[in-house]
Amino acid sequence: MTMWTSLDPAAVAVDPGGRATARLRVRNTGDTVEEYRLSVVGTPAGWSRVEPDTLRLYPGSEGTAEISFAPPRSPDAPAGPAPYGIRVEPREHPDLRDVLEGQVTVAPFTEVRAELLPPSLVGRFRGRASVAVDNLGNTPLTASLTLRDETNRLTYDMAPNSVQIAPGRAAFAKLNVRPQQVCWTGRAERHRITVAVRRSGDDTGRELIGTFDQRPVLPRWLMVAGSAMVTAAVAFVVLWLAFQPKVTTASGEMQAGSSAQPVPQGAESPLPSAPVSAPPAAPPGAPTPAGDGSGGGGGGGGADASELGSGPPVVPPPPKQAKPAPNAPEGPVWDMGYKPDDIVTFAQYRLATLGNENECALKPGWTAGIIDKATQTSLACYQAHVMRDKKSSMQLTATDKKPGTLGRATLTSMWAQGIRAENVKSGAKNYEVTRLAAALWWANQSQISNGDLTHDRFYANKGIEYFKAGQNNGYATTSDAGLAQAIKDYQVHVGLKGTGVADTQTINWLIGGDVKDRGVPGR
């Protein structure tokens, strides 16, 4: 051996978001000058550092290096003990390298985010919603779900009413709300509902506020129209009886002779012809989906953001519907020949709204939900454009390597297109915040479960509704502390400063397809 090594202490404990250190001592016991390269191996290597990472020692001399452990406050640093090793490799004698073993224990922390989707339910006989619970801590989570109706005039079903969630994952529960009494006529009645999400061992929990608008079975206009029809029928009968000709004897008719005049019959007058329906026209000056940034328009930060064109306010439904092929593979990643998926349909609407002047725009004739030839060509053009845009991070093809396929990086870029930094500040509530949450959801998932895909398809369907109805009908969400944490996690993963604020650079990095663990397949 040409060295002697020591690790002190061999076991350390650290809180997520905190820092702990250990000291490595290396002594050159050989008779020549030696350079020792130091590195951390094992699970903690991603959030550990050795300073300095190289020691140059003369014979008989000793050097010291500090190993610092800084696990992030996120599910990426699971709670509990994690073994690690410090590799010491002599440059001149690499075959004599040594590995010192140690252990770092990460303290547990819990953080739960819950959301009622959608928060406002509308129906005559029932309302349906989903409760999404995200485990942002580093320990498994068990949570119970209950609903409270302030007026006690509703019944509900929650399935399941208890969920178990692994760190960094999400679970969903289906909620069906029904009124105890059906409202046949009158005005709509609003019921306030509260969904309580309580973590096991925590009596406080979190409350989600929502509403159920119970609409009458017979709308008011129908009652007004029915009353008008009854009135018209009564008036018609009265007029018919008033103008009915008198019945006379035969002698009376002979006396009347040719002077008798026919009595007009108003009921026999022809009905007016129905007006010809005209197709609805878009209102003048209506804003396009790109007006608030949902089109191919630039990212956050105005003139400093990446841009990819704009689109019309409303895109008609595609003329073709996909026919699923038997035994076809499923995404992600989606390619030609895969099963239809709403996530692909969202991407097609995104491409179709780039504008007629944009070379990458998806032209009419595409098939919804699958990667057909037209969609593949448009996707490849979009991806190439992003990789030429020097304002973005230009990392899209590091993950989505095959042109014309739809993967995590491309979906992240499409959702981030058009977001402006000033519109997604803390406390803002608009559709741009929804798009930012969807972009971060794709960017922060290196592995995607079926539950994650359910959440992704919810965002995709909201995006499809947005493109069909126009920008003013976008599903708005609020920029809260949970979103700020997701922004910060993303910034740390891609090497930006972890501020938790979606500035122009962060948005351009999302547009550029820079995602967590780039190059790792989605599933």
Side-chain angles (χ1 to χ4, degrees):
M1 291 291 292
T2 64
M3 62 181 173
W4 170 86
T5 56
S6 173
L7 181 63
D8 181 34
V12 296
V14 62
D15 293 327
R19 184 174 178 269
T21 61
R23 187 177 64 169
L24 173 68
R25 296 168 56 195
V26 180
R27 182 184 303 157
N28 184 358
T29 59
D31 53 4
T32 60
V33 177
E34 185 62 273
E35 182 177 277
Y36 302 92
R37 288 175 289 186
L38 314 176
S39 59
V40 182
V41 295
T43 302
W47 35 267
S48 304
R49 178 180 297 179
V50 182
E51 294 181 344
D53 57 1
T54 301
L55 292 175
R56 184 177 178 84
L57 302 177
Y58 288 95
S61 63
E62 181 178 307
T64 302
E66 182 180 80
I67 301 95
S68 59
F69 305 94
R73 188 176 175 84
S74 72
D76 295 323
Y84 71 94
I86 304 297
R87 181 188 291 121
V88 182
E89 185 175 1
R91 183 174 181 178
E92 299 297 331
H93 302 85
D95 54 318
L96 299 179
R97 64 176 177 270
D98 188 19
V99 177
L100 284 80
E101 296 182 354
Q103 178 176 285
V104 56
T105 302
V106 180
F109 81 96
T110 58
E111 185 174 346
V112 182
R113 181 171 65 187
E115 189 175 4
L116 181 62
L117 307 170
S120 299
L121 313 181
V122 178
R124 292 179 173 83
F125 302 101
R126 66 176 58 86
R128 294 186 177 93
S130 297
V131 180
V133 184
D134 297 276
N135 183 4
L136 304 180
N138 64 352
T139 59
L141 167 70
T142 301
S144 61
L145 309 174
T146 57
L147 183 139
R148 183 175 71 252
D149 168 27
E150 295 183 356
T151 60
N152 198 27
R153 298 176 63 184
L154 299 175
T155 59
Y156 74 94
D157 296 323
M158 185 87 72
N161 55 15
S162 179
V163 293
Q164 294 182 343
I165 316 169
R169 296 297 181 183
F172 296 84
K174 299 296 184 182
L175 173 63
N176 291 323
V177 179
R178 296 181 297 276
Q180 295 179 0
Q181 293 183 347
V182 176
C183 179
W184 293 100
T185 60
R187 296 184 177 180
E189 184 177 357
R190 172 164 291 190
H191 304 271
R192 181 182 173 94
I193 59 177
T194 303
V195 178
V197 181
R198 288 185 172 86
R199 180 174 55 85
S200 178
D202 184 4
D203 295 333
T204 58
R206 180 170 182 176
E207 293 187 343
L208 309 176
I209 306 300
T211 58
F212 172 56
D213 288 339
Q214 181 184 357
R215 300 290 175 84
V217 177
L218 301 177
R220 192 171 183 179
W221 67 266
L222 184 60
M223 300 299 295
V224 174
S227 300
M229 292 178 65
V230 172
T231 303
V234 172
F236 174 79
V237 172
V238 171
L239 289 174
W240 175 267
L241 295 176
F243 289 97
Q244 185 75 8
K246 294 181 180 180
V247 178
T248 60
T249 62
S251 60
E253 292 178 356
M254 293 174 64
Q255 292 175 0
S258 61
S259 62
Q261 300 295 327
V263 180
Q265 301 295 314
E268 295 177 1
S269 60
L271 296 175
S273 59
V276 179
S277 298
T288 66
D292 70 342
S294 82
D304 295 333
S306 302
E307 295 187 357
L308 201 66
S310 58
V314 178
V315 176
K320 298 181 181 178
Q321 294 297 324
K323 296 181 180 179
N327 302 322
E330 295 181 332
V333 175
W334 290 270
D335 201 348
M336 295 186 70
Y338 278 47
K339 288 184 178 179
D341 201 303
D342 290 342
I343 295 174
V344 177
T345 305
F346 160 78
Q348 291 170 318
Y349 271 106
R350 171 66 281 180
L351 294 169
T353 55
L354 293 178
N356 294 331
E357 303 300 325
N358 194 296
E359 60 179 0
C360 298
L362 181 58
K363 301 300 186 284
W366 45 277
T367 304
I370 64 171
I371 306 292
D372 54 13
K373 186 60 178 178
T375 304
Q376 185 186 60
T377 302
S378 182
L379 269 173
C381 178
Y382 177 91
Q383 293 161 341
H385 184 100
V386 170
M387 293 303 294
R388 293 194 305 266
D389 186 357
K390 295 184 179 180
K391 295 179 183 177
S392 75
S393 56
M394 297 187 294
Q395 291 291 327
L396 190 146
T397 55
T399 301
D400 298 350
K401 300 180 183 298
K402 182 179 177 182
T405 60
L406 183 63
R408 282 197 312 128
T410 304
L411 283 162
T412 298
S413 175
M414 287 182 168
W415 275 111
Q417 279 287 348
I419 299 175
R420 298 185 180 276
E422 63 269 19
N423 294 339
V424 292
K425 295 179 180 179
S426 178
K429 184 177 181 180
N430 52 56
Y431 184 55
E432 290 190 48
V433 177
T434 304
R435 296 207 311 274
L436 178 60
L440 291 168
W441 186 261
W442 278 109
N444 287 337
Q445 296 179 92
S446 59
Q447 298 294 326
I448 304 176
S449 66
N450 290 332
D452 296 333
L453 283 175
T454 300
H455 206 153
D456 295 325
R457 290 189 180 101
F458 170 80
Y459 279 127
N461 280 294
K462 290 301 177 184
I464 294 169
E465 293 173 9
Y466 169 86
F467 288 124
K468 288 183 177 180
Q471 65 179 19
N472 292 328
N473 295 324
Y475 174 65
T477 51
T478 304
S479 177
D480 55 10
L483 182 63
Q485 183 62 48
I487 295 170
K488 184 176 180 180
D489 291 344
Y490 172 75
Q491 291 168 329
V492 172
H493 287 317
V494 299
L496 300 176
K497 185 177 181 181
T499 63
V501 177
D503 54 11
T504 298
Q505 186 180 26
T506 301
I507 295 170
N508 280 342
W509 255 232
L510 288 167
I511 293 173
D514 200 343
V515 298
K516 176 183 176 183
D517 298 333
R518 68 175 74 102
V520 177
R523 209 172 183 186

